Each structure stands twice: as structure tokens, then as C-alpha cells.
């Protein structure tokens, strides 16, 4: 039974505070388990990142540290929040708010495809989450249906972006230092757009285009089953396949957003800001629903209060804990 569940390998203080139970998610770097806070019986998700399948201080462990640092500092309604953090010799344990709707991936799979108004509500929230990350100099770099979580089993629900371990806190400082040194040996792309912030952020816009395609069409835009080209070639050429039967009921406006995000040249690709201004998203009913979900405390005050909430909590990172102060970003 639950009480005799073997929790021996867990950190003592984690075990004292939480009872870990069944696995509810798996990631490339570990697993997610359903946990109960012993004192309140409140439910949480505990993400376990085992260091052993990472080389000692290799990039992967640094990514895990970046993820934890970012998770502890970001503060937006559509970004997963960290409740607690523990670690042992072999693993990191991140206590997260539980998203009872599970992964977007499973929702789309079970529904074949989402109806357009639901896809629009989810897509708008993803845009706002990524807009917030970008305004704080963070590129997610690994946006996919497994990393978008739903707050409930209802269609109309809050979504949250998770899995920042591939994120990159823009190394502007690194670039500045580089440009101070002798330029003689630097490659041209260091000076051109290839390494400026703008280019980097555009990768998330592409991924959001793929996410919207999957929500609307119910299948991925680039897939080995489409024609003779490899998936990589399809992506490099920007050749996605809209299967007629799946897209007839999708509006031209929605298709226009997809087409403007799945543009190969990052400089020509629609940005997050432009996407937020696209006609498809100027939908008052959807915006009111989204703001009600994102800023419930602003209830009754309507759009003004929601804008107010957004402008105050909008752009700021949470203060880092004491132990974070002296930490050098690697
Ligand atoms: C709804 C059901 C089947 C219990 N799944 C679930 O809650 N999945 C997840 C998976 C990963 C999570 N990561 C963080 C927070 N909640 C999560 C919930």
C-alpha cells in the first residue's frame, strides 16, 4: 500500500514532506511522479532528473542546473512553477505544481485534432509564455507537445510550458566579451545576424508554428511518411504537408498563422509579437477567456484589471534565493 511504498533512495527531507506515488510522465532526462504533501494532502508533480545518465559536469548537467535556475526565477501564469527543490549525489528532485490535464501531446492524440477555438486559446497562452521568456532573455529551444501541460481535463483550461532544460539564457555577455577581443579570428556569422538575440529567439517561433500545426491538424507537419524526403530535408526546405481531409474545416486565418511561422529564413519568419497581432488572435471572446484563466484574481475587473495584472507581474523574474546570488552562469 501507499505507506509502505519503498522510498529509500529519496532525500530524507523530501520524503519527510512528500509521499511520492505513481509515475505520471517521462522525459528525456528522467521521470515525473505524482506526490502528496503529507501535511496538507495537496497533490504535486515531482520531476526526477538523474545525473548518472549525464557525464559528470557535462553540458547535460549544466542544462539541468540552467533549467532549475530558470524554473526558480520565472513568474508567469503560463510557465510551470517550482514549489521545492532537493538533490542527492545521483539526482535532482524538482517539486512542481501538478497539471491535472497532463501533456498536450496526449490530449491532441485522444481527440484526433483540437477544434479551432480550443487550439486558438492554447496557442495564445503559449505565445504569452514564450513572449515572457524572450522578454527576460530566455530562449526555450525545445517547445513540443510533451512540454505543454494542461491544468485540467476540460477543453477550456490554462496551459503551462515546462522542460526548460534545453533553454539558453542569452549569452549576450559572452558575445560582448568576444567582440572586445581581436576580431581577426572570428567567423563572419559572429558579426551577422546569426548570433544576435533576434535570430536565436526565432527558433521558438518556428516551434510554435509546429505546435499550432499539430493542434489544428492532429499530426506533425514534417514526417517520414510524407514523400521520399527525410524529415530533415522537409524541414530545411520548409515543405510541410496539409492533408486535405484534416484541414478543410480550418479557417484561412489559422492556416495563415501556420504558414507565416513555418518560414525557413528566420529573418522572414513572423515573430512572437507579430503573431500576437495577427487577425486570427484578435478574438475578444478567446482573449477574455484566456485572461480569466491566467489572472483569476483580477475577476470582475475585466480587461483593464487583466492588463494591470499583466503589466505588474508581466516582465519580472522572481528574486533568486540567497544561494543563487554568487552563482556564475556557465
Ligand atoms: C493527468 C495525468 C494522467 C495524471 N497526467 C499528469 O498529470 N501528467 C503530468 C505529467 C507531467 C507533469 N509535469 C509537471 C506538472 N504536472 C505534470 C503532470
Amino acid at each position: 500500500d501507499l505507506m509502505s511504498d519503498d522510498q529509500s533512495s529519496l532525500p530524507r527531507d523530501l520524503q519527510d514532506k512528500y509521499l511520492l506515488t505513481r509515475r505520471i510522465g517521462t522525459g528525456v532526462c528522467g521521470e515525473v511522479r505524482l506526490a502528496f504533501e503529507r501535511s496538507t494532502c495537496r497533490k504535486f508533480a515531482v520531476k526526477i532528473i538523474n545525473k548518472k545518465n549525464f557525464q559528470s559536469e557535462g553540458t547535460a548537467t549544466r542544462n539541468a542546473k540552467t533549467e532549475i535556475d530558470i524554473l526558480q526565477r520565472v513568474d508567469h501564469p503560463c510557465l510551470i512553477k517550482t514549489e521545492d527543490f532537493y538533490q542527492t549525489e545521483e539526482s535532482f528532485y524538482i517539486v512542481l505544481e501538478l497539471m491535472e490535464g497532463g501533456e498536450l501531446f496526449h490530449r491532441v492524440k485522444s481527440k484526433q485534432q483540437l477544434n479551432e477555438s480550443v487550439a486558438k486559446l492554447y496557442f495564445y497562452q503559449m505565445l504569452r509564455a514564450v513572449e515572457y521568456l524572450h522578454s527576460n532573455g530566455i530562449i526555450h529551444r525545445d517547445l513540443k507537445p510533451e512540454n505543454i501541460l494542461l491544468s485540467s481535463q476540460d477543453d477550456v483550461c490554462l496551459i503551462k510550458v515546462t522542460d526548460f532544460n534545453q533553454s539558453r539564457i542569452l549569452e549576450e555577455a559572452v558575445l560582448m566579451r568576444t567582440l572586445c577581443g581581436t576580431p581577426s579570428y572570428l567567423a563572419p556569422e559572429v558579426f551577422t545576424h546569426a548570433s544576435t538575440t533576434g535570430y536565436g529567439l526565432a527558433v521558438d517561433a518556428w516551434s510554435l508554428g509546429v505546435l499550432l500545426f499539430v493542434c489544428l491538424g492532429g499530426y506533425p507537419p514534417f514526417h517520414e511518411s510524407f514523400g521520399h524526403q527525410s524529415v530533415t530535408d522537409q524541414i530545411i526546405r520548409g515543405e510541410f504537408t496539409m492533408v486535405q481531409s484534416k484541414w478543410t474545416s480550418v479557417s484561412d486565418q489559422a492556416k495563415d498563422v501556420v504558414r507565416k511561422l513555418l518560414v525557413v529564413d528566420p529573418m522572414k519568419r513572423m515573430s512572437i509579437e507579430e503573431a500576437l497581432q495577427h487577425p486570427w488572435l484578435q478574438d475578444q471572446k478567446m482573449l477574455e477567456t484566456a485572461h480569466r484563466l491566467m489572472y483569476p484574481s483580477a475577476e470582475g475587473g475585466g480587461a483593464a484589471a487583466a492588463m494591470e495584472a499583466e503589466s505588474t507581474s508581466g516582465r519580472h523574474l522572481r528574486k533568486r534565493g540567497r544561494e543563487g546570488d554568487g552563482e556564475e552562469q556557465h
Side-chain angles (χ1 to χ4, degrees):
D1 67 294
L2 283 182
M3 296 318 286
S4 65
D5 180 76
D6 166 32
Q7 318 219 349
S8 54
S9 63
L10 302 175
R12 180 99 216 116
D13 35 2
L14 169 69
Q15 203 172 317
D16 288 349
K17 195 168 175 191
Y18 301 94
L19 171 69
L20 269 63
T21 62
R22 67 189 171 95
R23 180 191 295 204
I24 53 174
T26 49
V28 64
C29 49
E31 60 174 1
V32 181
R33 296 170 77 96
L34 175 62
F36 294 84
E37 187 179 34
R38 293 182 192 275
S39 57
T40 62
C41 260
R42 277 173 46 191
K43 291 192 279 188
F44 291 94
V46 175
K47 181 171 179 183
I48 303 167
I49 301 176
N50 29 28
K51 304 175 190 172
K52 70 177 183 309
N53 60 22
F54 297 142
Q55 59 277 18
S56 62
E57 262 309 296
T59 51
T61 308
R62 260 201 303 281
N63 280 354
K65 286 205 181 83
T66 307
E67 164 162 18
I68 289 149
D69 178 52
I70 291 175
L71 271 173
Q72 290 178 319
R73 291 166 59 199
V74 294
D75 177 16
H76 188 274
C78 297
L79 291 175
I80 198 91
K81 270 191 187 49
T82 327
E83 299 290 331
D84 239 335
F85 168 71
Y86 303 85
Q87 69 174 304
T88 60
E89 276 300 298
E90 63 274 351
S91 300
F92 294 116
Y93 298 82
I94 312 173
V95 181
L96 301 162
E97 56 186 311
L98 178 67
M99 296 297 280
E100 314 242 12
E103 297 171 7
L104 173 65
F105 179 80
H106 296 126
R107 182 70 62 87
V108 175
K109 216 167 113 186
S110 62
K111 298 210 167 223
Q112 275 72 50
Q113 60 200 105
L114 301 183
N115 71 46
E116 189 167 323
S117 62
V118 171
K120 188 191 288 189
L121 176 68
Y122 294 173
F123 183 65
Y124 174 75
Q125 295 178 69
M126 291 178 221
L127 279 174
R128 296 300 292 273
V130 176
E131 176 197 41
Y132 171 91
L133 287 175
H134 288 182
S135 66
N136 286 285
I138 300 164
I139 312 176
H140 189 290
R141 303 198 323 159
D142 191 23
L143 291 166
K144 55 190 177 193
E146 297 86 327
N147 292 343
I148 307 294
L149 300 172
L150 303 165
S151 61
S152 84
Q153 301 289 346
D154 301 332
D155 278 351
V156 175
C157 68
L158 192 60
I159 65 105
K160 291 182 191 260
V161 175
T162 185
D163 258 0
F164 300 90
N165 57 348
Q166 296 303 322
S167 306
R168 170 75 57 233
I169 296 182
L170 286 183
E171 264 86 10
E172 282 305 306
V174 173
L175 177 65
M176 295 320 289
R177 270 201 298 277
T178 312
L179 297 179
C180 295
T182 161
S184 325
Y185 306 98
L186 287 177
E189 63 270 21
V190 172
F191 302 102
T192 66
H193 69 259
S195 62
T196 60
T197 312
Y199 169 72
L201 299 182
V203 298
D204 285 342
W206 173 276
S207 303
L208 285 169
V210 177
L211 270 165
L212 180 57
F213 186 107
V214 168
C215 288
L216 291 168
Y219 67 93
F222 307 104
H223 193 265
E224 57 264 3
S225 64
F226 300 136
H228 54 288
Q229 290 181 79
S230 71
V231 176
T232 315
D233 284 347
Q234 294 171 41
I235 292 170
I236 288 169
R237 293 187 176 75
E239 287 172 11
F240 53 87
T241 310
M242 284 187 175
V243 171
Q244 199 49 37
S245 61
K246 290 277 190 175
W247 288 84
T248 38
S249 60
V250 179
S251 72
D252 291 342
Q253 295 263 22
K255 289 177 196 165
D256 189 59
V257 175
V258 172
R259 291 193 179 105
K260 284 176 177 161
L261 289 171
L262 296 184
V263 167
V264 173
D265 180 351
M267 304 309 278
K268 294 198 176 78
R269 193 175 305 154
M270 181 163 66
S271 69
I272 307 293
E273 271 66 26
E274 289 160 345
L276 280 164
Q277 298 309 318
H278 191 283
W280 188 54
L281 290 166
Q282 310 319 306
D283 170 345
Q284 280 319 311
K285 200 167 169 341
M286 180 280 288
L287 291 171
E288 272 155 32
T289 305
H291 289 150
R292 173 169 52 78
L293 292 164
M294 291 161 68
Y295 304 106
S297 56
E299 206 47 43
M307 292 317 288
E308 169 61 24
E310 174 54 19
S311 60
T312 46
S313 75
R315 304 266 172 272
H316 309 304
L317 289 168
R318 286 190 285 188
K319 290 274 165 291
R320 270 214 278 213
R322 263 175 302 95
E323 70 286 348
D325 289 351
E327 213 152 82
E328 176 60 25
Q329 272 307 323
H330 300 288

